Structure formats: structure tokens, C-alpha cells
Amino acid sequence: MITGNHMPLRRVTVELPSVPLFEAGFVPRSFFVHNESIEVLHVYAFQPRERVLLVRIVRSGPPLSEAEIHRRREAFRRRYHLRDFEILQVGVDGRTFVALLRQENPGILEQILEDLGAGVTPTTPTVLRKDTTTLSFIADDTTEKEVFTLLGGLGVRWRLKSRQGIRLGREAGADLTPRQRELLSLAWNLGYFDIPARADLQKIADLTGLSRNTVSQHLRRGMRRILRDWVT
């Protein structure tokens, strides 16, 4: 990511109490009755006031088979008031699984996004636990200070864990539009490019709120740009 003023970017990681996130509706407190942690691997934004999260969840209860976790998918969706809940991968331990969650923006996240716009990018590690949360983001110096000011204004006490500069290099597909990059990432994680495919255009359209034709055009144009870098 390159900011408009080309200021150096840093990956910033802070630790804060989880209670404010419960109160803001980012994740319900009841989630931790049956689970140890939820790690945010990627945040997608295709519609206003809505986010699709790629997450890794670690359960605290007894191990469940892959078939049992899939059978409980709809119950999970209703319990945590999600618009969509897609299970992508179940660990061999029966306690860890990767999923896509579609939810309305909770209050604290919506305020941060509205105030800071594209100047801050959530990144890993971002892990929510019952008592503490690790939050990571990429930002320039000015936006980093704005994040800390905003957290303080919301009454959130935080502790800086790390702050590292990042290098921006040229990579394949570097000229993709943000929408192309996000849709290609989502399609990859859903298994759209698997053989046989685990998701089709309609599934991606349903998750993003975009039309099937729009999704198809962005994927084809994005792949064309990537292939152009490799074969020309």
C-alpha cells in the first residue's frame, strides 16, 4: 500500500482490553464461551457499512469432526448475528477452522474507518481473546497518531507491542485496482481457482453484494493484468 503523500509506512501492533470491542459489538462476549480466540487474517470491504472477514477460529470445547462443524454452520451464523458464515477449512485437531464471516460494521470499527478512510490498513497479527486483543495495522506516521488519538477518545487503553518499517517492492499484479485485488484474494480463499472449484461466480457475488457480471469482469481483468506481467 502506498499513501497519497508517499510517507514511510509501518506495521504497528498494539494490545488492548477486549471489553471495549465486546461493548462496541465487534464480537459478542458469548463467542468466548465456546471459543479461545479469533484471528483476523484479512478484511474485505465491498459494500458500505459491511465487512467480510477471513478468520481463523480456535474452539475451547471438545474436538468436532469436519462434518459436525459444517452441520453447525447455520447455528453459528444465527448465534453470532452474521449475514453469512462460510467454513473453508477445518484443522485435523477438530478445534481450529478457517471461515469467512459477513457482518455489518460494528460501531468502533465503523468510526475508525470513517475517520481515517484508506489511510489505515488492518493486517496480521490481529487476534481477539476473552481478556486481551492484539490489533495490527499498516499506516504512515500521521495516520498512526490519529489511530492512537481516536482510541484514546473512545476511552480504549492500549499498549504498543511493536512498530516496524515496511518496504514496498514491485510484485506481479502491482497495478491491480483495489477491487480487482480484493476479489482475486476472496476468490482464491473461497476455492474458486481449485480443481474442481469449491465456489462459483454466484457464491462470490452473494458474499460481496456485487452482481455476477461485475465479479466476472473484475476477476478477468485482474487475471489479465497478472498474466500480462508474466508472459510479455
Side-chain angles (χ1 to χ4, degrees):
M1 185 188 74
I2 303 177
T3 57
N5 54 7
H6 303 285
M7 292 179 65
L9 297 177
R10 291 181 174 80
R11 183 191 305 270
V12 182
T13 300
V14 298
E15 189 175 82
L16 58 149
S18 296
V19 171
L21 299 180
F22 299 153
E23 295 174 345
F26 189 85
V27 63
R29 191 188 302 267
S30 59
F31 176 84
F32 292 99
V33 174
H34 304 286
N35 302 286
E36 289 183 6
S37 65
I38 176 170
E39 179 180 2
V40 179
L41 304 175
H42 198 97
V43 180
Y44 300 98
F46 297 106
Q47 298 295 333
R49 301 188 66 84
E50 183 178 276
R51 291 294 177 268
V52 177
L53 307 178
L54 178 67
V55 300
R56 179 182 291 112
I57 297 172
V58 179
R59 286 178 43 80
S60 56
L64 297 175
S65 68
E66 182 171 352
E68 180 62 23
I69 288 178
H70 280 281
R71 278 196 297 269
R72 296 189 182 190
R73 183 183 70 85
E74 182 59 21
F76 291 155
R77 187 192 68 79
R78 291 195 304 267
R79 179 186 301 164
Y80 303 124
H81 310 292
L82 302 169
R83 292 187 174 183
D84 255 309
F85 183 61
E86 298 289 333
I87 297 171
L88 306 181
Q89 179 183 351
V90 179
V92 294
D93 60 358
R95 297 180 61 246
T96 304
F97 59 94
V98 176
L100 275 171
L101 317 179
R102 184 161 69 106
Q103 64 174 168
E104 292 184 2
N105 283 350
I108 189 171
L109 178 61
E110 181 69 9
Q111 182 171 345
I112 290 173
L113 292 171
E114 286 183 352
D115 288 356
L116 303 179
V120 58
T121 301
T123 188
T124 56
T126 293
V127 185
L128 286 76
R129 300 181 180 84
K130 182 178 180 180
D131 298 317
T132 60
T133 289
T134 300
L135 173 65
S136 300
F137 58 91
I138 295 172
D140 58 35
D141 287 344
T142 299
T143 307
E144 176 188 344
K145 293 175 183 177
E146 290 174 353
V147 170
F148 294 154
T149 299
L150 182 58
L151 289 175
L154 293 169
V156 178
R157 302 183 65 180
W158 53 272
R159 179 177 67 87
L160 182 66
K161 291 190 67 175
S162 65
R163 186 172 179 268
Q164 299 175 323
I166 61 174
R167 290 185 176 182
L168 298 173
R170 173 78 181 176
E171 58 184 15
D175 59 346
L176 291 174
T177 68
R179 179 57 55 87
Q180 289 167 356
R181 187 179 298 277
E182 291 291 87
L183 280 170
L184 283 167
S185 171
L186 180 61
W188 178 268
N189 284 308
L190 280 171
Y192 174 78
F193 297 107
D194 289 3
I195 302 175
R198 292 187 289 115
D200 57 15
L201 287 174
Q202 191 59 54
K203 169 60 71 175
I204 300 173
D206 291 342
L207 275 171
T208 59
L210 303 173
S211 72
R212 189 176 183 276
N213 184 58
T214 297
V215 171
S216 176
Q217 288 190 26
H218 280 299
L219 291 178
R220 289 172 63 86
R221 288 171 179 167
M223 287 302 300
R224 187 175 187 277
R225 290 188 178 190
I226 292 173
L227 289 171
R228 182 190 61 199
D229 290 346
W230 282 97
V231 302
T232 60

